[in-house]
Structures are given as C-alpha cells and as structure tokens.
Amino acid sequence: NLLHVRAVGPSDTLHYVWSSIGTPTVLLVVTESTSSALCINWTQLLSPTPAGAIWINPASSVVYSTAIVFTKVFEYSKANVLEEVFYPTYDLSDFSWDSINRTLNHTTLTAEFVGVPAADPSSSFSNGSLAFRVTAYETSGRDQTLPSLLHTANSSKVEFVLAGVAPRGNSSWFTLEVATVEEVGAARRLHSSRSIDDEYTPTIFEASMLSLVAESQNDSSALSFLQWKATAYGSQTPKREDSIQCQSSSLQAANWTLPGSSLVRAYFGEGVGSTYTISAMNISFGGEDGNIYEEKRYLSWSALLGFGQPPRDTFSPLVISIMAVALGTPMALLLVGSCVVLFAQRKRYTEYEPIN
C-alpha cells in the first residue's frame, strides 16, 4: 500500500506519504511550490534496490523532508519486580497488509493499514490484527474521541491499534518501536510538558503531553513533530475507566539500519544511516493496576504528526469561566466591602457640626 495526502497552501505544499511496503512508514515533505508533485517509479520501488524510486518534482522546491518508521512491536510480561519475560518480537517488516482500498474514505479523509504476521507460530493473530489508522485534517479543531488531541490543518493523526491479538503471557506489556530519519542540520528532541488541566483527557494517570520535535541546529526552530498524550485506551469507544498507562523511553541514536524500509530508501537513497541520522525510542503500554488489554483484547494509542510547532493546549471557555468565578467573586466582595466601609465612615463624620 502507498497513500499520498497532499495539502496545498497559498505558497507551499505539504506531502504526507504513508506506506506499508517493507516497514510501515510515513514520509513528510514540505515544498515552497503550490504545484509540486509526487513521482514514483513503481518497478524500482518494488525491487530489492528501491533507492531513487520516489522523488518530488520539481526537486528544487523541497524545503524539508523527514520520515517516521514504525519498526517493531515487543511483548513482555513482568513475572516479578526484578524479572521481565520477553517473547519473540513482532517485526512489522514481516507483516502481510490488507489493501487500504477497503478502508479509504475520501469524505472523512481516513484510511487504515491492517496487517498480520506472515508467520504466526503462536497463533496469537488467529483472531486479531495490528493496524495503523490514518486521518488527515482540513481545518483546525479537536478530536471528539479520547484522548481529544488538538490538531491543525497542517497535521495528521495516526492511531496504533491491536485488536483481538492473544497475549502470550499474564499481564503482558506491549511496546512499539518508533524510528525517525532526519537530514543533516536537523535533530530530534523529546519534550515533555504537564497538561494545564485534564478536561479533555480524563485519566487516572498523570496528565502529560510528549512531543518528539525535529529542530533546526542553526536557529532551534521546530521543523516537524510527533505528539501524543501519555495514555492509551482499551476500548473502541474509550472512557475514563479504559485508560492504559503509556510510558516512553529516552530518544537514542540508532546505529542500525532500517530493516526492509523501502519507502525510506526509495526517497532518501542509500545514505540512510550515514548522510541521514536515525533515532529511535520505545513507547510502552501496560500497567500494574489492571489487565485491561487481557480482558478486552483491544489497545489503541493516538499520535499527531505534522510540520512546524506542535499545537499547544490553551484554557478552554469552561476553565476560563471557572477561574473568573473563583477569582472574580472574592475580588468583587472585597471591592464592595471597601466601598461600604468608606461610605459608612464618611457618613458618620458628617453627622457632627464643626466646632466653632
């Protein structure tokens, strides 16, 4: 599968290229032209040497490009506090993917990449699947479903979903490995910030927002981002009680090559790992307080990706109203009380005639 999302602005074009050829990947390219086009040599792309099979025309219009690759899924269980039991890794480059023509919706701007392992010795996927749900946006707003991510027209959403996959242990944790590819002059950094309130994402865990931001090494300006909240959910219609704890490792430079990542090699060429830098991190889902996945066999985690600065939450009208009442009422009482005291004092002294 290869899915191209093209957003044209007044003086530029944003390209999102999603693919399940090799390893699931999204390529992000911004150009300073309103007529830039994605070009593909399909024969070369599907060959063992895909370098140069994908390019943007005109090439001189490309301002910035990056890629995010979803490489592996790990499963492990904690037998005790000091011991972790790891099971064979799910390498996503070895998955077989359904055609997105079944899920592509031009009205809602959504599509779904659904896959299962080509070989499944444990039969964990006999009644289940792994999916990446993609959503593009035309305007700014906030998702109606949890975790209610705030988005702009310059961003897209990806949702990682495990549905019906049988865990291979008790209280299994699942970990998604995410890798990034950056050009020379840009570096990825992981930022964490506390949410100002938990109105949009009610959860029993600490409300925090994490952003994997690509920054220019020259002026530290944000070039692109991957942003998510530190929570996942164990239901197709998530509620507060369906929250699953989400933890992120530190971002590290990857000294390995991307296995089977045809889209990355097709666009960036053979210089991946030398000319271009690869960083990777793990995002884990699980918790000690409940076996939500084991009970419902469902896990979903959403992230926003796009260009420039990641969106920032602001105080909602509800929160502003509560603050206005909480802070305004004492101030109003203090002001009215001061006026009453001053008026009473002035009235008392005016009752007496001046002494002659």
Side-chain angles (χ1 to χ4, degrees):
N1 295 303
L2 190 141
L3 174 66
H4 179 212
V5 180
R6 183 170 176 264
V8 181
S11 60
D12 57 9
T13 302
L14 309 179
H15 296 271
Y16 292 87
V17 186
W18 303 84
S19 175
S20 60
I21 302 173
T23 309
T25 305
V26 55
L27 173 67
L28 293 83
V29 182
V30 57
T31 68
E32 54 184 4
S33 169
T34 58
S35 59
S36 60
L38 176 71
C39 302
I40 303 173
N41 182 328
W42 284 102
T43 302
Q44 187 175 356
L45 177 62
L46 300 176
S47 71
T49 56
I54 293 179
W55 68 96
I56 298 294
N57 189 26
S60 58
S61 66
V62 176
V63 177
Y64 168 73
S65 55
T66 185
I68 298 173
V69 188
F70 304 99
T71 54
K72 299 175 182 178
V73 172
F74 303 98
E75 182 185 352
Y76 62 96
S77 62
K78 297 185 177 181
N80 53 57
V81 178
L82 300 177
E83 183 182 1
E84 295 178 348
V85 178
F86 282 83
Y87 301 97
T89 303
Y90 294 119
D91 192 332
L92 300 186
S93 64
D94 296 331
F95 271 48
S96 176
W97 302 91
D98 292 343
S99 172
I100 59 171
N101 290 331
R102 303 174 184 176
T103 59
L104 182 62
N105 190 319
H106 292 274
T107 303
T108 59
L109 302 180
T110 57
E112 187 171 357
F113 297 83
V114 182
V116 296
D120 186 21
S122 63
S123 300
S124 297
F125 279 79
S126 57
N127 294 313
S129 63
L130 180 151
F132 292 96
R133 295 174 180 169
V134 177
T135 303
Y137 299 106
E138 291 182 306
T139 59
S140 299
R142 187 182 295 276
D143 281 349
Q144 297 298 315
T145 58
L146 294 175
S148 304
L149 293 174
L150 181 67
H151 62 79
T152 68
N154 293 343
S155 58
S156 295
K157 185 181 75 169
V158 58
E159 184 180 0
F160 168 68
V161 178
L162 280 178
V165 178
R168 292 172 286 183
N170 296 325
S171 303
S172 283
W173 284 61
F174 291 92
T175 298
L176 176 65
E177 184 181 68
V178 182
T180 63
V181 180
E182 288 297 332
E183 299 175 324
V184 175
R188 287 273 177 177
R189 293 180 175 84
L190 182 62
H191 301 279
S192 177
S193 60
R194 290 289 303 273
S195 178
I196 56 175
D197 65 78
D198 210 16
E199 175 188 358
Y200 297 111
T201 312
T203 173
I204 60 175
F205 308 114
E206 178 181 333
S208 61
M209 181 75 76
L210 295 100
S211 301
L212 189 58
V213 183
E215 300 176 349
S216 172
Q217 294 180 335
N218 295 329
D219 54 9
S220 298
S221 60
L223 301 173
S224 64
F225 64 87
L226 179 71
Q227 183 184 62
W228 66 95
K229 289 189 176 182
T231 183
Y233 293 94
S235 173
Q236 297 186 40
T237 54
K239 300 177 182 178
R240 178 189 180 97
E241 57 269 21
D242 300 319
S243 297
I244 298 176
Q245 191 171 0
C246 174
Q247 298 180 356
S248 303
S249 69
S250 59
L251 183 67
Q252 298 181 354
N255 56 2
W256 39 263
T257 57
L258 294 173
S261 184
S262 298
L263 188 65
V264 169
R265 297 196 179 279
Y267 181 81
F268 292 101
E270 297 298 336
V272 177
S274 57
T275 306
Y276 303 95
T277 58
I278 303 175
S279 302
M281 65 179 299
N282 291 334
I283 302 173
S284 302
F285 315 99
E288 300 176 355
D289 56 341
N291 302 324
I292 296 179
Y293 180 81
E294 190 171 355
E295 295 171 359
K296 299 187 177 182
R297 300 285 177 92
Y298 191 88
L299 166 68
S300 69
W301 169 79
S302 300
L304 197 72
L305 63 156
F307 299 93
Q309 286 282 359
R312 294 184 178 180
D313 268 321
T314 57
F315 288 105
S316 67
L318 175 61
V319 175
I320 293 176
S321 301
I322 294 174
M323 293 177 62
V325 172
L327 299 177
T329 302
M331 292 296 295
L333 292 175
L334 180 62
L335 181 61
V336 171
S338 300
C339 293
V340 171
V341 171
L342 291 174
F343 180 77
Q345 289 180 344
R346 182 178 179 184
K347 182 177 180 180
R348 185 169 63 249
Y349 287 123
T350 57
E351 292 178 351
Y352 297 93
E353 295 291 337
I355 299 176
N356 188 351

